[in-house]
Amino acid sequence: MNWDWSAVSDFMPMFWDGVLVTLQALVLSVIVAFTLGLVWAMAQRSTVKAISWPVTAITEFIRNTPLLVQLFFLYYVLPEWGITFSALTTGVIGLGLHYSTYTAEVYRAGIDGVPVGQWEAATALNLPRSRTWFAVILPQAIRRVVPALGNYVVAMLKDSPLIATIGVLEMLGEARQFGSITFQMVEPLVVVGIAFIVIAYPASLLLRALERRLVR
């Protein structure tokens, strides 16, 4: 097999377009996952069973079904019910929703790790429930779980190629399209693989440094 540098050169414009789409999908998915995960975690701690039980059932169902199946359901089944999203929006919703069930567990562990005395002190001060959550509990809980949340950012990056299966031209989607046009698959796939390493490995090092800093 001969390596064709001209194929790499021809692929680069498409590659950079794919990088931008990948990063856009990743950032938006992270926002969805982190925000919705916090909502799930707080709802699961509700004393109202009509809230906590359905939320627990929903998160367990999402967590225990494949992300690819969920993406196909959102993209191919929802339009039959009159609910249609663009491919990129579907990818963002799918990734964010799927990983929100994992970040919910991370938040829950962080909340459970807050000393009981903090809850008791807030009660003794007669703080409203909302202020207890957002001024006392969550700042302490989130600080504890930042490194774990960061690990899921890397995991979402590595799962982002799955959105190519619904037509999103992120890095892998661009590589497949280039290969279908030129019949050269090796060069674009190698470039994409290296790109994931270049993005994910420094992110992992940054997360380790952040974890060491936070545990001091």
Side-chain angles (χ1 to χ4, degrees):
M1 180 185 67
N2 295 322
W3 181 264
D4 188 349
W5 286 105
S6 64
V8 176
S9 178
D10 293 340
F11 173 61
M12 292 313 292
M14 299 175 67
F15 166 73
W16 288 117
D17 289 341
V19 169
L20 291 177
V21 173
T22 297
L23 294 178
Q24 181 183 0
L26 177 64
V27 170
L28 294 176
S29 298
V30 166
I31 293 173
V32 172
F34 284 11
T35 303
L36 190 55
L38 182 57
V39 173
W40 294 142
M42 294 176 66
Q44 287 177 325
R45 292 185 62 90
S46 174
T47 56
V48 181
K49 299 303 182 183
I51 296 176
S52 61
W53 286 6
V55 167
T56 299
I58 291 170
T59 55
E60 286 295 327
F61 176 80
I62 295 173
R63 189 184 304 119
N64 289 287
T65 53
L67 173 56
L68 187 58
V69 172
Q70 294 167 15
L71 288 171
F72 281 5
F73 181 87
L74 292 172
Y75 193 68
Y76 294 110
V77 177
L78 287 187
E80 296 185 7
W81 299 344
I83 304 173
T84 304
F85 301 108
S86 68
L88 179 59
T89 301
T90 301
V92 168
I93 294 173
L95 270 175
L97 182 62
H98 185 80
Y99 274 94
S100 70
T101 62
Y102 292 96
T103 59
E105 289 300 301
V106 174
Y107 285 124
R108 185 182 61 79
I111 292 169
D112 289 344
V114 175
V116 176
Q118 297 293 314
W119 292 93
E120 295 173 345
T123 302
L125 293 172
N126 200 29
L127 294 179
R129 188 70 173 177
S130 59
R131 189 173 181 188
T132 299
W133 272 110
F134 292 102
V136 180
I137 304 303
L138 289 182
Q140 298 180 64
I142 291 175
R143 183 178 184 273
R144 297 167 182 265
V145 302
V146 166
L149 291 175
N151 289 332
Y152 281 113
V153 175
V154 177
M156 292 173 72
L157 170 66
K158 292 189 291 185
D159 271 350
S160 64
L162 288 176
I163 66 177
T165 59
I166 58 173
V168 179
L169 292 180
E170 44 70 73
M171 288 192 288
L172 181 61
E174 293 286 8
R176 291 175 59 190
Q177 181 166 299
F178 180 84
S180 67
I181 296 171
T182 64
F183 301 102
Q184 293 174 298
M185 291 297 300
V186 175
E187 291 82 2
L189 288 177
V190 170
V191 170
V192 169
I194 293 173
F196 274 105
I197 295 174
V198 169
I199 297 172
Y201 185 65
S204 299
L205 295 179
L206 180 62
L207 289 171
R208 292 175 193 171
L210 180 61
E211 184 174 6
R212 289 193 296 268
R213 183 178 181 85
L214 290 176
V215 298
R216 288 179 182 176

